[in-house]
Amino acid sequence: MTSRLRPLDPTRYTPFFRYRDGRLHAEGVALDRVAARVGTPVYVYSRAAIESAWKRFDRAFASAPHMVCYSVKANSNLSILRILGRLGSGFDIVSAGELDRLRRAGVPGRRIVFSGVGKTREEIREALRAGILLFNVESEAELEALAEEAARRRVVASAALRVNPDVGAGAHPHIATGRRAHKFGVDWSRAADVYRAGLGMPSIRWRGVTAHIGSQILSLDPFRRALARLEALIAQLRRMGVNIEYLDFGGGLGVRYGEEQPPDFRDYGKLVAGTARKLGCRLLLEPGRAIVGPAGVLLTQVVYKKENRGKKFLVIDAAMNDLMRPALYGAVHPVTAVRRTSSRERWTVADIVGPVCETGDSFLADWPMPDVESGDLLALWGAGAYGFALSSNYNSRRRPAEVLVEGEKFRTIRRRQSYADLIRGE
Ligand code: LLP
């Protein structure tokens, strides 16, 4: 309500979304055009933003032999996987479903690494059949299962052990993974024993070490500490005669949603590539959010304005089922109006909420907004990663459409679900 309100301007930190003639554009496409054709809510991604992020990330590691293995879980739309595949990306998967997507996108097995604490026998078999580059093994029991399945197929499985370096990292307790108490990987103090066990298995070929310590990490420190532990472990393993060719350092680099200041790709690259060079390892990186997060917005429409005891609410047509991150992690996705009116416009603060019957269905509280009306379009920023991928059909809401912008053009890369889609299989 005051003139001192300082709304955030996310266009300051991406060249791919900007206001032209008072309308928010993704590349050359005005977002109101997308809404008119495809409806709302809709995820809108910029192809140039995705490609540019991947290339910048890749370049940051140029000083070491490496492969960027995009983490499919962040955004698994087939069109996006194809775009990254064409750039030469590798991929990090966590399920046979993700493997199936990559097959359909034409990605060869030798560009795929498989992470995850609970790979089933069936998933292991699928991945062996696909001839993937590396199994990131997370327990002794999984190692035995992998050895058996590989022996049965008369192949040798390439494996890395996921070690848990016991460093704290990640923006929210639910996305930190590298502490002793977490279910991920094998405690680093026990790693050598598991490698030793694997040496006695003829169908296992150790080729690497892997760690992934968390997500939305905003400082290089935890990475530095994890690397120090991995360095010591690799030296020990080599003394034991284990061949460590790959260092798979996982993902986790944070992005800017609002006021965060994540490390620059180049500084991150320098740190990690430097260690890999020193160790003589080929590097594998598994970024998800850093590649696609800032490349997408969730486009939505104001359904109603309302006021309760002086508190203003904007009820929008997107809900927690479309974008879970605020409800799950208290994540802040800035919101701006698609149409920017004059600089003299009146600002107010409002809670931005969805229509789902849960108090948690709230995107932002006391957020500075221009005086928008019902029917006006809003953009929720930073929605390219873990946006659509985490969406659900809660409240029998159809999942939103996804649109890819390419220069002056845009196309639907996933149509909005129909009501028939909702009851399929029931
Ligand atoms: N590698 C492994 C083994 C992972 O578990 C993950 C993410 C990644 C790579 C990619 O991490 P990224 O570079 O995107 O941070 N749903 C949460 C994030 C969960 C991350 C899970 N693992 C969110 O919306 O913040």
Side-chain angles (χ1 to χ4, degrees), residues 378-413:
L378 306 181
L380 279 81
W381 291 77
Y386 308 110
F388 186 92
L390 277 173
S391 67
S392 80
N393 290 122
Y394 187 41
N395 274 210
S396 287
R397 289 170 52 84
R398 297 171 297 167
R399 288 193 192 187
E402 292 177 286
V403 159
L404 185 70
V405 169
E406 299 170 300
E408 311 287 314
K409 294 209 227 36
F410 67 94
R411 60 190 166 101
T412 300
I413 56 173

Side-chain angles (χ1 to χ4, degrees), residues 71 73 92 175 212 215 251-252 286-289 325 329 386 390:
S71 190
K73 64 169 83 70
D92 160 53
I175 53 176
H212 166 83
S215 199
E286 303 173 356
R289 190 190 318 264
R325 302 194 68 257
Y329 318 113
Y386 308 110
L390 277 173

Side-chain angles (χ1 to χ4, degrees), residues 78 81-82 85 91 100-109 111:
L78 278 177
L81 299 179
R82 281 201 195 98
F91 295 88
D100 179 62
R101 283 176 177 274
L102 290 179
R103 286 242 201 69
R104 290 172 196 274
V107 174
R111 285 206 251 148

